[in-house]
Amino acid sequence: MPSSAAGSHRSARASRFPRWRPWLMGGLGVVLALLWVPAAALPLPPSAPPFGAVASNPPPENAADFKPDVIYQVVIDRFFDGDPSNNDPVGDTGMYSADHSNWHAYWGGDLVGLTQKLPYIAGMGVTALWISPVVDNVHSPLFYNGSPLPNAGYHGYWARDDYQIDSHFGTWADFDRLVQTAHQMGIKLIIDFAANHSNPNGGGDGGNLYQDGKLVANYNDDIAGWFHHNGGIFNFDDLYSDEYENLFDLADLAQENPQVDAYLKGAITRFLQHGVDGIRFDAVKHMPGGWLTTVNDMIQAEGPHYLVGEWPSSGIADPLHTSQLRFANTSGMALLDFSMNAAIDNVFATGDSMVELDGTQQHINQDFLWPLDQPLFIDNHDNPRFLNKRMSHDLLNDALAFTLTAPGIPIIYYGTEQYLFDNTNGGNDPYNRPMMASFSTTTPAYQLISALGHLRHQNPALAYGSLRSLVLGQDVYIYERQFGNNVVLVAMNRSLNKALSLASLATNLPTGRYSDALGGRFGGGDLLVNRDGSTPGMTMQPSEVAVWQFTAAEPSTPLLGSVGPEQTHPGDALILDGEGFGNVATGGRVEIGSSVATVKSWSAHSITVQVPPIQGGLYTLRVCPFAEPCSNRLVARVASGPQVPVTFRVTGLPDLAPADQVYLTGDTPELGNETGMKELAIGPLIGPILDHTSKFLLVSVPACQTLTYHFFVVHHDGTQTVEAGPEHMMVVPCTGESSVTALWQA
């Protein structure tokens, strides 16, 4: 948001989940913690070396599949100053605070400094890096509430020119060096991109927008209609207000304008050309979902990438929960998991029951088509840090252990591993963005992240596995992640002063004796598993966290763990990841529904295919080696073809009650295939609160097609009124953007 071990029968493999040699990885040998024996008689290995040594991470071979990854989020300006010469650059001066006394100014962090610190980041097992926006921000400072101190776009969310790198951060050459170095170290790169707005319209650069240094849009002389001029957001629970009014004082871009559409997609394309692996889209709640769907379609046509959006939500009670889920399940973008973030905060910082974690996960599994793609996080750049709410390193360690082992993709906010925080103003923005003060590799949090970060790449249960609760109570949570025969068992006692006595567990770990993957540094010890899968009773000490794992041999039956991207169209590349696929020599087929895709590459753990010319819809996929049986099934959504944005508007509506809603449907899957069900149709349509006669919505539809469509009203009592007369018709352009207006047929 803008500012104002391994099993003894396992064969080594160079793959998505490479197997590291024990004791050669500076303490990461503890993740090879299983000593499998038929009887629990063998001794444990000698003490493990220290955590935190730099590891050779696996290469980012599949940028669409981030499930095995740990993402590290960095606010570039507050990380490390590697090039002091750009702190107050020529042409963009007067917004640098050398003594860091002005929290709203630049402090010197840059791309060169971030590149220099990549070994530190890699040492945590991090294999994806999310950086704050690097585009050129406002050149003129803003002064708020009479303050004499300048406010600058150090955070990156006040874009002035989306085609240039901000001179405080470096150059395109510096950016390329970061991408190349990260890739060499097995780290993917995610850029943050704010497509909702330009910059504040009340000062500074006045909302104006540039392209490669040339003015293209003037907010106060907006002849071409690049911006909305509807005032600030009146109601954050109303999608029209969210999407067509200004977020705070930020100049709201009109994505329905073909020039704006081309400008933003062109800027995104430039970053793709510079090798980024994913994009985090700021404020997706405040942009038309149909337009963002066409952005996803454009990006994935260039090759599979991971896309994630920011849609703050209070969970199932949120008034826009249904709209949020519709977006997540149809746009091709994952969403930052604010529901689980709230649960983590409630449980570990506030003291609510651990039961909330399990209940929230159940809702996520039920609501999202691809729950494992939703990222988990504790801290971020918009909210006070965990330690501002609860000053307990032990509880933060517990929260980190959960985030790194629960379903979803973990995000670590920079400095959390150093227990970084500032209590000024409760740690609210901008005090949740202090300068990185230490790069120690010996803090307990760094060691914990290091062990579990590398374990995510060793054991696919953490990337692709299901979750089963074994023990759940006020202070205790013991759960198991499983993918095939790969198992990770996690146990934690959140209490700071009470030990807990537990009865025998019924685990899916094979018979044997297991050492704690955290090396006992958080209180865990050995775990014995009997031949019947039971364990002896145990006592968990206060703040104890333990992780035991079994990494199975290559399965004889293929296991499908990931399909990406989840939304694609015919002709695009689709990547399937998992285990037991065989090799190029054995080969096989990939089924998308009843169709067989063209195989581009095939290995034991990753297959790339080309989507065949099939009709749009939600399809099940499976891998079938020639030596069957076939794998389990996952789903992906196939569009009818390349997508373009079209604004559909209906006028002359009948009298609508405040709770009545208007929907659109038509003869293509993107329009719901002529359905009369509001759950499958497009909508509800939106409009200004005082306009009861017309509604509209920007929708993603297949290019170069002739569509028929109609509207219907769902009344507050559940009854429907459907348009009379013939279907409306339109010809969708092959490129660009369009709009169409239809008169309601009574």
Side-chain angles (χ1 to χ4, degrees):
M1 184 71 71
S3 200
S4 267
S8 59
H9 301 298
R10 187 75 181 197
S11 60
R13 58 188 185 178
S15 69
R16 196 70 191 88
F17 292 92
R19 303 292 172 252
W20 288 284
R21 295 178 182 176
W23 324 122
L24 292 183
M25 305 221 21
L28 302 174
V30 294
V31 301
L32 304 178
L34 168 64
L35 290 179
W36 189 91
V37 290
L42 295 181
L44 287 172
S47 297
F51 284 75
V54 176
S56 177
N57 290 327
E61 60 183 281
N62 181 0
D65 182 11
F66 273 58
K67 298 177 190 68
D69 292 309
V70 176
I71 301 173
Y72 190 74
Q73 180 192 356
V74 169
V75 176
I76 295 173
D77 179 66
R78 303 298 164 88
F79 199 64
F80 189 68
D81 187 355
D83 181 7
S85 69
N86 61 30
N87 288 346
D88 200 25
V90 175
D92 197 4
T93 60
M95 292 183 287
Y96 170 62
S97 177
D99 62 0
H100 299 176
S101 60
N102 181 2
W103 283 74
H104 297 277
Y106 289 94
W107 282 6
D110 50 34
L111 293 167
V112 171
L114 180 56
T115 304
Q116 291 172 358
K117 291 300 182 182
L118 285 177
Y120 164 85
I121 294 171
M124 284 182 284
V126 167
T127 46
L129 180 62
W130 159 19
I131 62 173
S132 55
V134 295
V135 299
D136 185 33
N137 269 236
V138 293
H139 286 192
S140 301
L142 291 94
F143 296 89
Y144 286 110
N145 302 321
S147 172
L149 297 177
N151 282 247
Y154 73 91
H155 41 69
Y157 294 102
W158 291 351
R160 178 182 184 271
D161 191 329
D162 285 307
Y163 286 73
Q164 293 186 339
I165 300 295
D166 192 287
S167 55
H168 291 88
F169 302 146
T171 64
W172 274 113
D174 295 328
F175 182 83
D176 290 340
R177 193 172 299 110
L178 172 66
V179 174
Q180 294 162 6
T181 306
H183 284 176
Q184 289 167 2
M185 300 184 70
I187 299 175
K188 307 170 189 175
L189 189 73
I190 304 171
I191 61 159
D192 202 324
F193 192 83
N196 173 68
H197 55 269
S198 57
N199 54 79
N201 56 56
D205 285 73
N208 294 349
L209 201 58
Y210 295 75
Q211 182 171 348
D212 280 324
K214 179 182 178 181
L215 180 68
V216 293
N218 187 322
Y219 183 82
N220 293 312
D221 187 21
D222 191 18
I223 299 174
W226 277 59
F227 303 96
H228 298 132
H229 299 272
N230 300 321
I233 293 177
F234 175 74
N235 179 3
F236 280 87
D237 294 331
D238 176 74
L239 276 183
Y240 171 79
S241 190
D242 283 329
E243 295 176 5
Y244 291 87
E245 295 170 356
N246 288 351
L247 179 61
F248 309 126
D249 61 344
L250 300 167
D252 196 60
L253 288 167
Q255 289 83 13
E256 72 277 11
N257 182 323
Q259 291 176 279
V260 176
D261 174 70
Y263 174 90
L264 292 171
K265 288 178 177 175
I268 292 168
T269 298
R270 178 167 293 187
F271 277 103
L272 298 179
Q273 293 168 345
H274 282 265
V276 302
D277 305 290
I279 301 177
R280 181 266 189 187
F281 282 93
D282 183 65
V284 298
K285 176 183 177 181
H286 301 283
M287 291 177 279
W291 181 77
L292 287 165
T293 302
T294 68
V295 172
N296 172 76
D297 185 77
M298 176 203 76
I299 293 171
Q300 306 301 2
E302 299 296 320
H305 293 75
Y306 177 67
L307 307 183
V308 59
E310 177 210 27
W311 185 313
S313 169
S314 57
I316 59 174
D318 194 290
L320 294 179
H321 183 62
T322 299
S323 298
Q324 177 199 31
L325 291 181
R326 181 185 286 261
F327 176 81
N329 291 334
T330 61
S331 68
M333 291 188 189
L335 289 178
L336 293 163
D337 197 339
F338 280 88
S339 296
M340 187 58 83
N341 171 255
I344 292 170
D345 189 68
N346 291 341
V347 168
F348 295 107
T350 305
D352 291 358
S353 171
M354 299 280 260
V355 172
E356 185 174 345
L357 298 174
D358 190 72
T360 302
Q361 186 61 54
Q362 290 182 33
H363 280 297
I364 292 169
N365 290 341
Q366 294 166 6
D367 289 344
F368 290 90
L369 282 175
W370 302 284
L372 295 177
D373 271 328
Q374 316 309 314
L376 310 177
F377 61 100
I378 302 169
D379 297 331
N380 72 7
H381 59 297
D382 285 324
N383 300 309
R385 290 174 180 255
F386 182 96
L387 293 175
N388 292 114
K389 293 169 280 190
R390 185 69 180 270
M391 176 45 66
S392 171
H393 289 191
D394 287 335
L395 289 171
L396 178 54
N397 294 337
D398 291 348
L400 281 169
F402 175 78
T403 303
L404 288 156
T405 57
I409 304 168
I411 298 176
I412 307 299
Y413 186 42
Y414 84 98
T416 297
E417 74 281 6
Q418 301 296 334
Y419 306 109
L420 179 69
F421 78 106
D422 187 288
N423 248 339
T424 308
N425 192 30
N428 282 289
D429 173 7
Y431 303 102
N432 53 2
R433 307 165 187 171
M435 198 71 186
M436 189 73 166
S438 170
F439 293 89
S440 169
T441 61
T442 62
T443 67
Y446 186 96
Q447 295 172 356
L448 186 150
I449 298 166
S450 179
L452 295 180
H454 286 89
L455 181 58
R456 289 188 67 84
H457 285 275
Q458 177 199 350
N459 192 318
L462 291 179
Y464 307 135
S466 58
L467 181 145
R468 182 173 70 99
S469 296
L470 277 65
V471 180
L472 186 60
Q474 176 66 28
D475 290 319
V476 64
Y477 194 13
I478 302 179
Y479 53 92
E480 199 166 65
R481 302 290 309 282
Q482 184 166 7
F483 181 67
N485 292 324
N486 302 285
V487 179
V488 175
L489 179 62
V490 182
M492 62 179 67
N493 174 15
R494 182 195 58 184
S495 175
L496 298 178
N497 49 40
K498 294 181 182 179
L500 294 174
S501 296
L502 303 172
S504 173
L505 302 176
T507 177
N508 288 317
L509 287 168
T511 303
R513 179 170 179 254
Y514 298 80
S515 60
D516 175 24
L518 300 176
R521 287 165 171 81
F522 300 90
D526 302 346
L527 180 72
L528 302 180
V529 178
N530 300 319
R531 295 186 184 279
D532 63 356
S534 66
T535 70
M538 67 176 73
T539 298
M540 295 194 70
Q541 298 303 317
S543 302
E544 180 178 329
V545 180
V547 178
W548 304 283
Q549 69 96 19
F550 176 78
T551 308
E554 192 75 20
S556 56
T557 299
L559 288 170
L560 184 55
S562 173
V563 174
E566 283 86 359
Q567 180 138 317
T568 183
H569 66 244
D572 282 356
L574 194 65
I575 302 179
L576 298 87
D577 287 337
E579 295 205 310
F581 296 162
N583 54 44
V584 175
T586 57
R589 68 184 187 278
V590 171
E591 297 177 354
I592 304 180
S594 59
S595 300
V596 177
T598 301
V599 174
K600 297 297 184 181
S601 66
W602 187 297
S603 70
H605 309 117
S606 189
I607 302 170
T608 300
V609 300
Q610 185 177 34
V611 180
I614 55 180
Q615 294 183 343
L618 189 65
Y619 286 86
T620 60
L621 296 87
R622 64 176 183 170
V623 175
C624 296
F626 290 135
E628 296 191 14
C630 297
S631 72
N632 56 312
R633 298 176 186 268
L634 294 181
V635 297
R637 192 177 297 278
V638 178
S640 302
Q643 301 286 292
V644 296
V646 173
T647 299
F648 289 82
R649 183 182 298 272
V650 56
T651 62
L653 287 167
D655 290 337
L656 299 176
D660 292 347
Q661 295 179 323
V662 181
Y663 288 84
L664 163 71
T665 190
D667 64 347
T668 183
E670 286 79 1
L671 296 181
N673 283 326
E674 297 285 2
T675 183
M677 299 173 60
K678 68 176 185 178
E679 293 80 9
L680 300 178
I682 306 305
L685 276 62
I686 60 177
I689 192 169
L690 297 179
D691 186 353
H692 301 293
T693 62
S694 67
K695 299 288 181 182
F696 70 92
L697 200 67
L698 195 159
V699 181
S700 175
V701 293
C704 297
Q705 294 193 22
T706 300
L707 304 180
T708 60
Y709 63 96
H710 70 272
F711 303 92
F712 63 93
V713 176
V714 178
H715 299 283
H716 61 281
D717 61 0
T719 61
Q720 291 190 12
T721 299
V722 183
E723 273 194 290
E727 297 273 294
H728 305 290
M729 183 177 294
M730 77 160 298
V731 178
V732 182
C734 295
T735 59
E737 193 166 10
S738 184
S739 63
V740 62
T741 300
L743 179 65
W744 173 272
Q745 301 179 103

